[in-house]
Amino acid sequence: MSRSPSFSVKPELASEVDEKSLQQWVVAFCIIRFDLEQGQLIEECYPPGSLTQNEELEVSFSSFPDSVSQNHNRASIHDCIFFFRIKRHKAPDILNIEPSEIVEVDNNISSQKLIGEAVQESKCQNNYDSRFLYGFVFNRQRHDERLKRGGEQKSVVILSHSPYTSVFRPLLQIMGPLYFDIGNKALNYIAAYVSKWPVPLPGQLVELPIGNASLKVNLPPSHSLPSDNGFFEDSASSLAPLLPSNLSIPQGLFHDSDLFGTFRGLLMQLWKLWELLLVGEPILIIAPTPPQCCEAVAGLVSLVAPLLFSVDFRPYFTIHDPEFAKLNSLQEGSSFPPMILGVTNLFFLKALRNMPHIVSVGSPMSNSSRFTVASKGLPGGIPGQNEGSSIQHLSFRKFTPANFLNAVKLRRDGPLCLMTEHKEAVWTNYAAVTKPDTSILNRLIDAGLSPRVEESMSVVNNDILRRHFLELTTNFLAPFGPYFRANTPSEASSPFADPPPLPSFNAEEFLASLSARGPGKFLQKRMRSNWLDLYRRFLNGHNFLPWFQRKRAVAEQEQYKLWRQARVKSNIHQLIRTMSELEIVDSFNAIERHLQGEMQYGIANEDTEAVCEKLKKDLKTVFSVLPKDMQQLLIMNPERASLLQENHECSDLPKQTLLPDGVVSSA
């Protein structure tokens, strides 16, 4: 494969890499070669020292297809793009806690302090989850009988903390062929361009220049991205789980995955898989090739948008991953941890034979003289050729006895039947609550035999499916909306008072209330009578607490902003006219507390200086209407006296003298 003729590089940029800016997008670029004597070797890693020794080993093993998963012409060049996800060895343990350890924040702790500290910290680091590393791979296998063992293979890898498939896949389509054309200089060229990209803005359409071209991509929204620092720059619209007005904007991770193309033979099973993902069940995905494998995992994760997906997922998992040893050592009858594992090695069928849910997707590659990197519409596909399952008529259109008998036979044989022949199937004992929506299935378009039409129709079908499951998830989450509703100050209340806490949540009370009023019309006609069991499993699952606490944190941040804005706009003179002396004293203490909070924790806000000036004036105004004896009592505190004297209007304060022992006397 050759790079696009429209792409050109500027050699003068090679020495202009801003490594600090580069880290906003990329951790490292790696060139990895498979050596017949020593195995996988990292030939180049830029910037150097970006990975630990253990991370280098994991990246190396994860950057090549399993040999047992490949079957193509021995006289060919085979290019493919896939991605993996591994745990970082030097990552912090900030969010690595069990659900039972998650508790509500102490209401006595100032929300201004908590939010202020989080904002300050977020300014010092990117808002990503650094516990995991994503590797985006351009792998080239060159088969030549003249070479030792008949061929060679090498991988170009982009490592990032961010799951931006919409960015790094097209970047690899440029960088991979460029490297095989000009060698290691390609790393410096690409790094120079990437280091000049703007700061990533989640949920935004960004334009990223690369050479004389540019990538225009939508980044996933912030509410779908885990964060190390606990501060979430989510928009106010994400507080309540309402269906977004613009459905063309990504609402979760992997919005660009080919959901229809990957699960075309299993469309009737998507609703069951959606439930398994929702409640956080472990799932093993088996596919013939790494591109098909990672596309299937990405497609499943995208099904539950806009829910924050907190289950560990591995788009391409190998036996060399340290997690495999832990899974393989599980005792008979032990439950698997919540994980989505994508594999190509059939050895996993025996090693993880107790996995409760197994999904087989894709079809073996046809022989070809050359494998070209897939387009978005046909991941892992061969332009000009059709895979066996991709030209079949959509199997959901009608029931036949033959299809029924085949399904019974597959279930009876179990997943080990894949050892002899690959078939698309789902093996699980899970009884789904949600019924497949045949009206959605009937809207899907069968493109027939034309690859070009197939690709364009796949985009349409993906949009239909993604819109439906977005609506399904949004309606499922809607009953939790009241627990994320921020309160605004009423006209009769003072904005300087502490805002009321968000409604407390009790699982049993929530289920009882939901049972009484029902799930709503949308879900009522799509779910069976035991729909409440799905909510109960969701509450006990791995996704609920991280998502719920994330939403609560965002709601508290939003409420803090609303009350802060109300304090700035308030007229203190009108407020104190109707107050008693005790209420005025309380207001003085509240304004003082907010002022100190702004001075200490508000430095991340652009308007902090103006807010401080407003609060100082309000503090002086309230102080001026207090009785003289109360004024003298209040300014005995040196810090308080200092706050009042900082204002140029405070010249009429009672004069004070600070004695050597720290006692303040008033004259």
Side-chain angles (χ1 to χ4, degrees):
M1 173 182 176
S2 61
R3 69 180 186 275
S4 170
S6 63
F7 175 76
S8 63
V9 296
K10 299 177 181 179
E12 64 271 15
L13 285 177
S15 59
E16 300 178 7
V17 179
D18 183 345
E19 291 189 8
K20 186 176 181 181
S21 298
L22 180 66
Q23 293 293 311
Q24 295 178 139
W25 292 92
V26 172
V27 172
F29 297 100
C30 297
I31 305 298
I32 308 173
R33 174 173 59 89
F34 185 82
D35 186 91
L36 296 177
E37 305 295 333
Q38 304 179 59
Q40 292 88 340
L41 294 177
I42 295 184
E43 291 186 337
E44 186 76 19
C45 183
Y46 181 85
S50 302
L51 304 174
T52 65
Q53 187 174 2
N54 287 334
E55 288 171 344
E56 288 184 351
L57 286 174
E58 286 188 52
V59 168
S60 299
F61 282 121
S62 300
S63 298
F64 293 92
D66 286 324
S67 59
V68 296
S69 69
Q70 302 302 311
N71 179 27
H72 24 259
N73 194 308
R74 298 293 294 174
S76 66
I77 291 179
H78 181 89
D79 291 346
C80 67
I81 287 178
F82 59 93
F83 73 103
F84 60 84
R85 182 181 192 243
I86 61 173
K87 282 187 176 180
R88 295 222 69 173
H89 291 269
K90 57 183 179 182
D93 295 324
I94 289 180
L95 295 178
N96 194 19
I97 54 179
E98 295 296 323
S100 59
E101 298 173 349
I102 302 179
V103 296
E104 290 288 344
V105 176
D106 186 352
N107 290 330
N108 293 324
I109 300 177
S110 168
S111 61
Q112 188 175 26
K113 175 180 178 181
L114 292 172
I115 294 171
E117 289 176 335
V119 173
Q120 289 184 43
E121 187 177 352
S122 72
K123 298 298 180 180
C124 302
Q125 62 180 359
N126 281 337
N127 195 27
Y128 52 58
D129 181 6
S130 63
R131 295 174 304 161
F132 291 94
L133 198 61
Y134 295 85
F136 300 86
V137 182
F138 180 100
N139 174 260
R140 171 165 289 184
Q141 296 181 354
R142 186 167 70 93
H143 299 282
D144 190 336
E145 298 296 343
R146 296 170 297 180
L147 299 175
K148 191 175 181 180
R149 293 187 64 177
E152 64 179 2
Q153 61 174 319
K154 193 176 270 193
S155 290
V156 179
V157 184
I158 301 174
L159 298 172
S160 175
H161 284 128
S162 303
Y164 296 157
T165 52
S166 58
V167 173
F168 297 118
R169 277 178 173 172
L171 182 61
L172 274 176
Q173 289 180 324
I174 295 173
M175 182 179 178
L178 181 65
Y179 167 78
F180 287 104
D181 280 356
I182 66 174
N184 288 342
K185 290 186 294 184
L187 273 66
N188 295 87
Y189 291 151
I190 299 298
Y193 287 116
V194 174
S195 69
K196 291 173 174 56
W197 286 357
V199 176
L201 296 174
Q204 300 295 316
L205 175 65
V206 295
E207 187 168 349
L208 309 172
I210 184 78
N212 63 335
S214 67
L215 306 176
K216 293 183 179 181
V217 296
N218 280 297
L219 298 183
S222 57
H223 66 253
S224 69
L225 300 171
S227 171
D228 277 348
N229 56 40
F231 179 76
F232 317 107
E233 297 181 351
D234 294 6
S235 63
S237 61
S238 68
L239 293 179
L242 302 175
L243 194 65
S245 56
N246 188 354
L247 294 177
S248 64
I249 299 175
Q251 297 300 318
L253 296 180
F254 311 126
H255 185 79
D256 57 330
S257 61
D258 186 12
L259 189 60
F260 172 78
T262 304
F263 293 96
R264 179 172 190 152
L266 301 172
L267 291 174
M268 289 286 288
Q269 303 292 333
L270 284 179
W271 285 263
K272 180 179 291 186
L273 295 174
W274 173 77
E275 287 191 23
L276 293 175
L277 292 159
L278 198 67
V279 302
E281 284 285 310
I283 303 175
L284 180 67
I285 308 290
I286 300 178
T289 66
Q292 293 175 342
C293 175
C294 68
E295 193 73 7
V297 174
L300 286 184
V301 172
S302 73
L303 269 186
V304 294
L307 177 70
L308 173 66
F309 192 69
S310 300
V311 172
D312 187 10
F313 61 91
R314 306 302 178 90
Y316 178 55
F317 189 73
T318 71
I319 59 175
H320 303 288
D321 193 297
E323 292 294 317
F324 172 67
K326 300 177 184 177
L327 296 174
N328 198 32
S329 62
L330 289 175
Q331 299 297 321
E332 188 77 23
S334 300
S335 59
F336 278 86
M339 300 180 77
I340 311 297
L341 300 181
V343 303
T344 60
N345 194 333
L346 297 177
F347 171 74
F348 283 102
L349 288 174
K350 295 181 177 179
L352 305 180
R353 58 185 176 276
N354 293 323
M355 182 72 81
H357 317 290
I358 298 177
V359 182
S360 172
V361 298
S363 62
M365 302 298 302
S366 305
N367 287 343
S368 173
S369 61
R370 185 175 182 82
F371 179 83
T372 308
V373 175
S375 65
K376 183 176 75 169
L378 291 171
I382 304 176
Q385 296 190 5
N386 295 299
E387 297 180 11
S389 66
S390 65
I391 62 174
Q392 297 172 354
H393 291 287
L394 301 185
S395 59
F396 61 81
R397 292 200 182 277
K398 60 181 179 179
F399 171 84
T400 64
N403 288 341
F404 176 75
L405 291 175
N406 287 336
V408 172
K409 186 177 184 299
L410 275 176
R411 182 175 179 83
R412 182 191 63 203
D413 294 343
L416 286 178
C417 70
L418 297 175
M419 302 291 289
T420 56
E421 180 185 3
H422 186 83
K423 302 174 182 178
E424 292 187 310
V426 176
W427 289 274
T428 178
N429 291 323
Y430 180 83
V433 172
T434 312
K435 296 175 287 188
D437 194 325
T438 54
S439 65
I440 295 298
L441 294 176
N442 289 330
R443 289 172 56 195
L444 300 179
I445 303 170
D446 188 9
L449 301 177
S450 170
R452 183 172 297 179
V453 176
E454 178 83 17
E455 181 175 349
S456 60
M457 289 303 98
S458 188
V459 173
V460 174
N461 290 336
N462 281 329
D463 185 61
I464 293 172
L465 289 172
R466 192 153 277 118
R467 282 169 178 260
H468 169 72
F469 282 99
L470 175 63
E471 190 173 9
L472 185 62
T473 307
T474 301
N475 277 276
F476 180 82
L477 299 176
F480 297 96
Y483 298 97
F484 315 130
R485 193 165 294 142
N487 298 291
T488 56
S490 63
E491 294 183 1
S493 63
S494 169
F496 298 102
D498 291 329
L502 298 178
S504 60
F505 180 83
N506 179 279
E508 291 304 319
E509 292 178 359
F510 169 80
L511 291 172
S513 173
L514 187 59
S515 177
R517 68 177 185 270
K521 292 182 179 179
F522 184 87
L523 296 182
Q524 190 78 53
K525 62 181 181 180
R526 289 171 173 82
M527 290 187 173
R528 297 179 172 88
S529 58
N530 60 336
W531 57 268
L532 196 63
D533 291 341
L534 183 58
Y535 277 97
R536 187 173 286 107
R537 287 194 288 266
F538 176 63
L539 292 176
N540 294 327
H542 198 73
N543 285 318
F544 171 68
L545 275 177
W547 169 78
F548 185 83
Q549 290 212 327
R550 169 72 167 264
K551 285 292 187 181
R552 296 278 281 194
V554 173
E556 288 171 354
Q557 291 173 13
E558 182 65 19
Q559 183 165 269
Y560 163 73
K561 294 175 183 177
L562 291 172
W563 284 68
R564 182 175 182 267
Q565 187 179 28
R567 288 192 288 271
V568 172
K569 294 181 177 180
S570 66
N571 187 326
I572 191 64
H573 296 280
Q574 292 182 354
L575 286 173
I576 60 178
R577 285 176 186 171
T578 59
M579 290 183 180
S580 64
E581 183 176 318
L582 182 59
E583 289 174 332
I584 293 176
V585 173
D586 289 340
S587 296
F588 180 90
N589 292 330
I591 296 172
E592 179 187 24
R593 185 174 68 253
H594 292 306
L595 177 57
Q596 290 174 338
E598 284 289 337
M599 295 170 64
Q600 188 171 0
Y601 304 108
I603 59 173
N605 298 312
E606 297 179 355
D607 61 344
T608 294
E609 185 176 350
V611 172
C612 285
E613 287 301 315
K614 169 67 165 59
L615 291 177
K616 286 178 183 178
K617 292 179 179 179
D618 289 347
L619 191 69
K620 171 63 175 65
T621 300
V622 175
F623 182 84
S624 65
V625 301
L626 292 172
K628 292 295 182 182
D629 57 340
M630 182 64 70
Q631 292 181 359
Q632 293 178 357
L633 181 63
L634 289 173
I635 64 172
M636 289 185 66
N637 183 313
E639 292 182 6
R640 182 180 296 129
S642 175
L643 282 177
L644 291 166
Q645 287 181 332
E646 282 180 11
N647 194 307
H648 67 284
E649 297 178 7
C650 296
S651 57
D652 59 339
L653 289 177
K655 296 181 179 180
Q656 55 180 327
T657 304
L658 186 61
L659 301 179
D661 59 357
V663 177
V664 179
S665 66
S666 300

